[in-house]
């Protein structure tokens, strides 16, 4: 697992070419699966200012909802995620099979995500996917998902402490900003921004330069444009910026956002 934080920026126009809810869900599923495969820490959905709002109405929030659903462990989804029509096709989404989606029985020392159900003056009761609630000796906000370490597991009680592992991949966070790309970058504040565009130098021509910048960065943001145009904003800011074409000699006239995400993350996986 890399030490560098990796954020991916997706435009709300990513789904503008289709109105079919099932197809939209499937396209977001491809993104979510890629984020997990390549251990992305954070995905940011930004407002594409190059396209009229009527073409993207509600899509940014929809993308974020589907991605949060995918990252949530199966045993918490019914409690943590309200039923709504936008989620009617989530059954077609591919499972992530990441460490915080356990398939084995819990044991002492394990890390688990849990949903805070209720609390009293002694602490908080937490659903961690067992046949009984665990107890945390801290008063936490209820109806929220936190990460926990199982400190004690017996027939009498299950005791957990807020904690998460630092040596295994623990999923991605999702942020929908309703802001343009540059303002969204300011919220996250990376030190190195990678702008992907077919009009830039190809990856093979600047590979060594890119590798050096990646190795010297603590937080990398990779940004993608929408289906109708490349990124329209000037992204110069308080960060190092490089523009690259990660799919040289493409055989198709256009590359879909989900295809660009998979291709680009595969390259960064070896840097």
């Amino acid at each position: 697992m890399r030490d560098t934080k990796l954020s991916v920026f997706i435009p709300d126009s990513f789904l503008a070419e289709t109105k079919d809810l099932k197809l939209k869900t499937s396209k977001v599923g491809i993104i979510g699966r890629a984020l997990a495969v390549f251990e992305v820490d954070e995905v940011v959905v930004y407002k594409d200012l190059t396209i009229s709002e009527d073409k993207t109405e509600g899509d940014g929030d929809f993308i974020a909802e589907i991605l949060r659903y995918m990252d949530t462990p199966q045993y918490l989804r019914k409690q943590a995620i309200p039923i709504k029509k936008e989620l009617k096709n989530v059954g077609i989404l591919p499972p992530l099979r990441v460490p915080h989606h356990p398939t084995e029985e819990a044991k002492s020392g394990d890390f688990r995500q849990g949903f805070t159900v209720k609390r009293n003056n002694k602490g908080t009761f937490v659903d961690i996917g067992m046949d009984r609630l665990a107890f945390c000796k801290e008063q936490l906000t209820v109806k929220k998902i936190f990460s926990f370490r199982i400190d004690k597991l017996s027939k009498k009680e299950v005791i957990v402490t807020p904690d998460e592992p630092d040596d295994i991949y623990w999923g991605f966070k999702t942020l929908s900003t309703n802001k343009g790309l540059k303002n969204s970058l300011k919220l996250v504040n990376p030190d190195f921004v990678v702008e992907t565009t077919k009009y830039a130098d190809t990856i093979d021509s600047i590979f060594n330069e890119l590798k050096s910048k990646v190795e010297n960065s603590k937080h990398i943001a990779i940004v993608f444009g929408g289906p109708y145009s490349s990124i329209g904003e000037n992204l110069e800011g308080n960060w190092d910026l490089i523009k690259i074409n990660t799919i040289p000699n493409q055989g198709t006239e256009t590359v879909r956002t989900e295809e660009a995400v998979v291709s680009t993350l595969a390259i960064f996986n070896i840097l």
Side-chain angles (χ1 to χ4, degrees), residues 58 82 94 106 152 191 206 233 240 270:
K152 181 180 179 182
D191 52 25
I206 58 171
E233 297 183 57
D240 199 0
I270 64 173

Side-chain angles (χ1 to χ4, degrees), residues 132-179:
R132 60 192 188 279
L133 295 179
F135 187 73
C136 174
K137 296 178 181 178
E138 295 184 27
Q139 292 194 335
L140 304 173
T141 304
V142 296
K143 309 301 181 185
K144 297 288 185 181
I145 294 177
F146 295 89
S147 294
F148 297 92
R149 183 185 68 250
I150 302 176
D151 291 333
K152 181 180 179 182
L153 197 164
S154 66
K155 292 182 179 181
K156 182 180 178 181
E157 60 183 357
V158 180
I159 304 297
V160 296
T161 301
D163 196 5
E164 69 178 49
D166 56 11
D167 58 346
I168 58 174
Y169 180 61
W170 206 241
F172 53 83
K173 301 291 186 284
T174 301
L175 174 65
S176 180
T177 67
N178 291 313
K179 298 179 182 292

Side-chain angles (χ1 to χ4, degrees), residues 9-18 23-32 43 45-48 51 55-56 59-60 62-64 66-67 224-228 255-261:
F9 284 68
I10 304 293
D12 63 352
S13 61
F14 159 51
L15 301 177
E17 292 184 307
T18 180
L23 182 55
K24 285 185 175 186
T25 303
S26 176
K27 287 168 71 71
V28 179
I30 295 172
I31 297 285
V43 55
V45 184
Y46 70 89
K47 181 174 287 299
D48 186 349
I51 187 172
K55 289 187 177 182
T56 62
D59 280 349
F62 173 79
I63 295 167
I66 295 296
L67 291 174
F224 297 90
Y228 299 118
V255 174
R256 295 173 178 174
T257 303
E258 64 268 33
E259 295 168 339
V261 169

Side-chain angles (χ1 to χ4, degrees), residues 27-39:
K27 287 168 71 71
V28 179
I30 295 172
I31 297 285
R33 180 73 181 171
L35 298 174
V37 167
F38 297 111
E39 297 191 344

